[in-house]
Amino acid sequence: MKIYLKTYGCQMNERDSEAIGAQLIGAGHTLSCDENDADVLLFNTCSVRDAAERKAKGKIGYLKKLKDRRPDILIGAVGCMAQRLGNQLLEELPHLDFVVGTGQLHKIVSIVEDFAKKRQRQVFTAESADVLTGMGEHQDHGAFGQIAITRGCNRFCTYCIVPYVRGREISRDKGDILTEAREMVDHGVREILLLGQNVAAYGLNGNTRPPANDVSPFGELLESLNEIRGLARIRYTSPYVTYFSDRLISALKNCDKVCHNIHLPLQSGSDRILKAMNRQYTASDYLRYVEKLRAAIPDVTFSTDVIVGFPDESDEDFKMTRDLMNEVGFSQSFIFKYSPRPGAKSAERPDSVPETVKEERNQILLGDLSARVEKMLLRQVGDTVEVLTEGVSHRNEARWTGRTGTNFVVHFEPTPNLQSGVLKKVKISRAGGVSLFGSIVEE
């Protein structure tokens, strides 16, 4: 069968889709880029924010016209929204054929093939002990690849439904991860991004308490990956700040392939709001970890997630967030306007901050970020930086693009026969609003 697969949401969903696609290809099916030419249409959905759910539902709803014209096609919803809504999706979308939750994605081949024969609408959302099965499947690689090392989350932040739709936290076997990484490198992958809701909790067997300072299975995993010949860089996302034990920080410092950029979700700079969010640290705790990381890795850069307009967030609470963000000096920030998610604890509270105030706070933080990044980029003019080449720039076909280990985008003119996934020294000649420009330094 020809299968069209569309993904909504985070990098974990993108990785799940890659694994789903690889399983289907392995079973003899083909992936199609054209929904009008496919026999099966699969939508890997997100449920973290209301907008993501509405977008997926809207797309599936629109396909009723296609189903009317081609009644033999199969339409399935999989992933987080499928897990959260289950039978409700079949009721709301009568032309939807099957629903597959996060705990059953490893069975996608048999589910699709069985439905093609039986044509019985069904929901598959039960939790499974075999949920890690198939997580190591990949399609054809380029120079960049992803490995999911954990699944689920045990943090239970009050605004988030991830623990309810992805289940409790479990870690993959270290040997399986290393085998997967070596196979990826053998197929040309040069940079690996490690994925998990809290990657720093890897190997802690679901323990909700942060590790002792001399403990870090995640740090040990990084050290083992760092030894793989042919691998150029290792990135990871997202860790929870209190899991940065001394053991982990030591590994980050000593592993030369681990990038000096850390995505460190903050969410708020107000202790009152952090407590209401069930983020189990204070603003001063967060700063203490940032200072420890900077002391060990002086050139480290930080990116973050922040929510504005959480219930009862006052002007003073917002000011604390703004001040803390400026003090840390994030090089990238993903700023979200709070929206209640059914099933999350915070949804029981009134959504008390007006949308106009949320938008105003959002724009203030974006303005701070823009000014801060501009200064960071200007300071690098004249420097020579190491860049991992990615390919032709989307904005200018005469240039190539790549990233530094600190996650700044660099544009440069290519040298003859330049390939993707090659480390090159680039001398920075000027800075733009969000990226750097320079020339390759011939070695």
Side-chain angles (χ1 to χ4, degrees):
M1 292 182 285
K2 293 181 180 179
I3 299 174
Y4 173 82
L5 177 57
K6 183 173 178 60
T7 307
Y8 297 88
C10 68
Q11 289 165 307
M12 285 293 290
N13 272 19
E14 292 174 3
R15 177 67 194 101
D16 283 345
S17 288
E18 186 192 11
I20 289 169
Q23 292 174 55
L24 291 164
I25 290 171
H29 306 291
T30 58
L31 297 184
S32 172
C33 296
D34 184 358
E35 62 189 45
N36 295 293
D37 184 48
D39 305 303
V40 181
L41 281 69
L42 292 179
F43 296 89
N44 190 3
T45 60
C46 175
S47 202
V48 172
R49 287 180 292 280
D50 181 61
E53 283 198 355
R54 284 190 282 108
K55 185 179 291 186
K57 278 188 189 179
K59 177 61 178 179
I60 296 171
Y62 178 77
L63 290 172
K64 185 178 185 306
K65 295 178 181 178
L66 181 61
K67 184 83 165 180
D68 289 341
R69 295 197 309 270
R70 298 176 55 206
D72 288 341
I73 64 170
L74 311 182
I75 302 177
V78 307
C80 292
M81 183 181 76
Q83 182 71 33
R84 189 179 84 82
L85 297 179
N87 280 298
Q88 182 181 329
L89 279 177
L90 293 187
E91 295 171 3
E92 293 183 14
L93 301 164
H95 59 288
L96 183 64
D97 295 307
F98 55 89
V99 175
V100 184
T102 54
Q104 298 290 314
L105 293 179
H106 59 291
K107 298 180 180 178
I108 193 68
V109 172
S110 61
I111 289 172
V112 169
E113 292 177 347
D114 287 349
F115 186 86
K117 298 174 184 176
K118 300 175 183 177
R119 301 278 170 164
Q120 293 178 337
R121 300 178 81 210
Q122 202 165 348
V123 172
F124 305 86
T125 54
E127 292 187 13
S128 171
D130 300 321
V131 68
L132 296 180
T133 303
M135 287 182 69
E137 298 287 340
H138 289 270
Q139 299 173 42
D140 292 336
H141 295 295
F144 302 86
Q146 300 176 338
I147 297 179
I149 65 171
T150 69
R151 195 171 193 90
C153 185
N154 287 350
R155 301 312 310 170
F156 288 93
C157 303
T158 61
Y159 53 80
C160 183
I161 62 169
V162 166
Y164 307 103
V165 295
R166 283 196 170 266
R168 301 301 179 266
E169 190 174 86
I170 50 177
S171 298
R172 292 180 60 201
D173 178 75
K174 180 181 176 181
D176 289 345
I177 294 170
L178 294 176
T179 297
E180 181 180 346
R182 293 187 187 104
E183 290 176 352
M184 292 169 70
V185 171
D186 288 344
H187 284 84
V189 170
R190 296 279 283 155
E191 178 179 291
I192 289 176
L193 172 65
L194 305 177
L195 298 174
Q197 259 67 44
N198 177 11
V199 289
Y202 171 79
L204 296 176
N205 301 316
N207 192 336
T208 57
R209 295 176 61 87
N213 266 323
D214 60 347
V215 174
S216 180
F218 181 55
E220 295 170 13
L221 174 64
L222 291 174
E223 289 168 343
S224 296
L225 290 166
N226 198 69
E227 296 300 317
I228 295 177
R229 186 184 298 273
L231 180 62
R233 282 185 178 170
I234 304 165
R235 297 186 188 271
Y236 55 93
T237 192
S238 294
Y240 196 90
V241 65
T242 57
Y243 284 70
F244 279 86
S245 64
D246 290 349
R247 176 71 180 85
L248 176 54
I249 294 173
S250 174
L252 298 177
K253 176 182 178 180
N254 295 323
C255 291
D256 62 314
K257 296 177 182 179
V258 176
C259 290
H260 291 181
N261 171 256
I262 302 174
H263 185 71
L264 201 60
L266 170 64
Q267 307 305 359
S268 176
S270 161
D271 289 350
R272 187 177 73 89
I273 298 298
L274 286 170
K275 184 176 181 179
M277 290 177 166
N278 194 33
R279 301 290 291 182
Q280 295 175 8
Y281 53 83
T282 64
S284 61
D285 291 335
Y286 187 96
L287 273 176
R288 179 165 51 86
Y289 281 101
V290 166
E291 289 164 359
K292 287 176 68 174
L293 286 160
R294 280 216 170 103
I297 312 166
D299 67 336
V300 68
T301 59
F302 295 98
S303 57
T304 197
D305 297 329
V306 170
I307 296 172
V308 295
F310 189 82
D312 297 330
E313 182 188 61
S314 67
D315 289 342
E316 182 61 25
D317 293 321
F318 171 70
K319 182 179 183 300
M320 292 176 184
T321 298
R322 185 183 185 187
D323 290 346
L324 183 55
M325 292 182 72
N326 285 326
E327 184 171 355
V328 174
F330 296 106
S331 61
Q332 191 174 20
S333 302
F334 299 92
I335 303 162
F336 304 99
K337 292 179 288 185
Y338 173 80
S339 63
R341 304 302 300 126
K345 193 73 174 175
S346 67
E348 300 172 5
R349 304 174 61 180
D351 186 10
S352 56
V353 180
E355 285 299 317
T356 53
V357 175
K358 292 178 185 177
E359 179 61 23
E360 180 184 11
R361 292 173 181 173
N362 181 51
Q363 292 303 318
I364 288 171
L365 295 185
L366 287 174
D368 288 348
L369 174 66
S370 179
R372 188 164 59 243
V373 170
E374 184 178 2
K375 292 179 182 178
M376 288 181 176
L377 296 174
L378 284 171
R379 286 198 293 267
Q380 296 185 68
V381 174
D383 291 348
T384 297
V385 298
E386 187 175 65
V387 171
L388 187 64
T389 61
E390 295 181 3
V392 177
S393 170
H394 295 299
R395 294 186 176 182
N396 186 341
E397 293 184 357
R399 292 195 182 101
W400 270 46
T401 188
R403 288 180 185 270
T404 66
T406 50
N407 208 34
F408 289 107
V409 175
V410 181
H411 304 286
F412 50 90
E413 292 184 4
T415 54
N417 303 316
L418 184 62
Q419 295 181 334
S420 177
V422 179
L423 289 170
K424 288 290 184 180
K425 298 290 186 181
V426 176
K427 184 168 183 178
I428 304 303
S429 57
R430 66 183 179 91
V434 295
S435 56
L436 296 163
F437 296 83
S439 301
I440 291 177
V441 178
E442 294 295 341
E443 298 176 356

